[in-house]
Amino acid sequence: MDRDKILLTPGPLTTTLRTKLAMLRDWGSWDSDFNEVTARVRRSLLQIIHGQDTHVVVPLQGSGTFSVEAAVATLVPRDGHVLVLDNGAYCKRAVRLTSLMGRRCSVLAFDEAAAVSPSLLQDKLTADASITHVVLIHCETGAGVLNPLQEVADVCERHGKGLIVDAMSSFGALPIDVRRMRIDALVAASGKCLEGVPGMGFVFVRKEVLPQCAGNSQSLAMDLHDQYVYMEKTGQWRFTPPTHVVVALAEAIAQFEEEGGQPARLARYSANYQTLIGGMSRLGFAPFLDAAIQAPIIVTFHAPANPRYDFKTFYAAARQRGFLLYPGKLTQLETFRVGCIGAIGPTEMEQAVHAVSLALQDMGIASGVPAR
Ligand SMILES: *Cc1c(COP(=O)(O)O)cnc(C)c1O
């Protein structure tokens, strides 16, 4: 059967037929029709964070990580000092890319089962005046933790530090209003909660810091300041744009707006999350995180205690029923993850839970109850 499997992952996600169909045409990268699509996408993106007055948005080719790397390289001067608030795998990736680009990088480490602490950030900034920028992952997709964006932004503003936010897996679903908090750069991508296809990221840069960004980047292709200046001047992307990805994103954003924008998207993902958690707990599964810090984006579950459990077999059995699960990303514990995002609703989540129950049956496991 050639029906697409449902992707219960943090991207790529299940997309609508309408979004897929938008990719069936060819576009000239310098043609005015395509430039208009780019301009429309940029205007819509700014509205989602209410950033029309304070920010510009710079699209960039590549997966989300390319844009995180570009944001750090463009925003942070070469003699800058970055502090990464680390509570998971994507934070560690941010540390690595910051160091690879030759920026001094410090880490404030937290447990991966906890949100980062604004008060410990405050202490750290007080203790070390050399820090110039803070990097925060809004929703740490590694375990699924929602970090306190507003509070972190307030601490950074009070201390006069730049703030770079990786909002990859939260943008479009969780509320972010840059009129209420000071964020120098916010990074997201086409293939996450906007339900486009993967292939481009975008970075919102605060207008006030934009001029200082010139010449910071040691990379030609990833220089967001250069990309911005060129795009403003010509309406075009500096280098070949992912045309099909951009038109698919335009179509995905049109559906996002028709659905009711961010509040409607959050409501659907929350319903997905509730359906998932309810169904999985009936099967005995236990989530890794406290509900209080869990974002309705991706859920980490403990593996069942039963010795017959093996992720590969479990994955294959769910896959056979049309659902792709995601491996866990925790250092110590055996876990797996289930995404709540994409062009799916509670009906698909009910079916996913059913697929999981059949997968357990296949493996001869009576319940998903974890060890302890
Ligand atoms: C998905 C994601 C990224 C980007 O990952 P890519 O594989 O480069 O698309 C970065 N940060 C977070 C928090 C994410 O969820």
Side-chain angles (χ1 to χ4, degrees):
M1 276 180 293
D2 66 356
R3 228 177 68 178
D4 289 341
K5 293 174 179 62
I6 301 281
L7 306 179
L8 300 174
T9 66
L13 305 176
T14 293
T15 57
T16 65
L17 182 61
R18 195 174 142 190
T19 296
K20 287 188 265 282
L21 287 173
M23 292 185 285
L24 292 180
R25 295 180 53 202
D26 301 318
W27 301 76
S29 64
W30 36 261
D31 189 77
S32 60
D33 283 352
F34 181 70
N35 294 344
E36 170 45 34
V37 178
T38 298
R40 186 151 42 88
V41 164
R42 292 177 74 205
R43 278 196 301 274
S44 304
L45 291 175
L46 271 175
Q47 277 168 13
I48 297 173
I49 59 163
H50 311 282
Q52 299 95 317
D53 295 335
T54 50
H55 288 67
V56 299
V57 63
V58 192
L60 184 71
Q61 298 91 330
S63 89
T65 305
F66 289 57
S67 283
V68 178
E69 189 162 318
V72 171
T74 305
L75 271 280
V76 181
R78 303 211 189 166
D79 62 352
H81 180 185
V82 175
L83 176 69
V84 177
L85 306 179
D86 175 7
N87 64 339
Y90 289 89
C91 306
K92 290 175 177 62
R93 189 185 291 180
V95 171
R96 179 126 201 278
L97 65 87
T98 300
S99 308
L100 281 172
M101 281 176 300
R103 304 308 194 270
R104 187 175 166 203
C105 187
S106 296
V107 177
L108 189 53
F110 299 92
D111 193 286
E112 55 195 350
V116 306
S117 157
S119 69
L120 289 178
L121 169 63
Q122 169 140 352
D123 295 346
K124 179 75 184 172
L125 293 180
T126 308
D128 188 346
S130 72
I131 292 162
T132 58
H133 292 77
V134 172
V135 169
L136 172 75
I137 316 293
H138 186 200
C139 171
E140 192 10 291
T141 321
V145 176
L146 178 61
N147 280 317
L149 176 57
Q150 176 83 52
E151 291 79 358
V152 166
D154 291 347
V155 171
C156 290
E157 182 171 7
R158 238 181 288 132
H159 288 256
K161 308 298 180 187
L163 174 62
I164 298 171
V165 180
D166 171 350
M168 209 71 65
S169 62
S170 57
F171 178 82
L174 297 171
I176 300 173
D177 186 343
V178 293
R179 296 170 303 188
R180 294 177 47 228
M181 53 186 119
R182 201 186 75 175
I183 299 174
D184 285 353
L186 184 113
V187 190
S190 54
K192 300 245 174 167
C193 300
L194 289 179
E195 301 179 0
V197 302
M200 63 171 274
F202 41 89
V203 183
F204 299 93
V205 182
R206 198 157 66 87
K207 285 178 185 170
E208 273 181 26
V209 304
L210 191 63
Q212 298 143 240
C213 292
N216 280 346
S217 176
Q218 73 278 43
S219 161
L220 170 70
M222 313 266 278
D223 186 339
L224 294 173
H225 184 268
D226 216 35
Q227 175 93 321
Y228 171 74
V229 169
Y230 187 85
M231 204 170 257
E232 288 302 299
K233 204 163 66 189
T234 63
Q236 299 165 17
W237 295 56
R238 239 176 358 153
F239 308 126
T240 305
T243 46
H244 298 74
V245 175
V246 179
V247 293
L249 180 59
E251 200 58 41
I253 291 173
Q255 293 161 86
F256 171 82
E257 288 167 354
E258 286 161 26
E259 186 179 2
Q262 175 270 318
R265 187 114 328 166
L266 178 59
R268 177 157 57 82
Y269 290 172
S270 298
N272 290 352
Y273 165 71
Q274 293 299 342
T275 305
L276 175 70
I277 283 285
M280 292 294 277
S281 58
R282 278 193 295 280
L283 298 177
F285 285 99
F288 169 68
L289 293 176
D290 272 359
I293 55 164
Q294 170 75 62
I297 302 292
I298 187 161
V299 184
T300 299
F301 290 99
H302 289 281
N306 193 310
R308 292 201 187 103
Y309 175 82
D310 155 66
F311 178 75
K312 276 202 174 127
T313 315
F314 181 57
Y315 177 88
R319 180 180 191 277
Q320 199 195 327
R321 272 101 186 170
F323 293 86
L324 298 192
L325 304 174
Y326 210 57
K329 212 169 194 169
L330 302 186
T331 36
Q332 303 294 332
L333 286 168
E334 169 79 358
T335 56
F336 65 92
R337 289 178 288 174
V338 186
C340 303
I341 60 181
I344 52 174
T347 306
E348 282 78 15
M349 295 315 270
E350 272 170 18
Q351 294 165 350
V353 171
H354 187 56
V356 165
S357 80
L358 295 175
L360 288 185
Q361 260 179 46
D362 281 6
M363 299 168 78
I365 297 174
S367 104
V369 172
R372 274 193 313 124

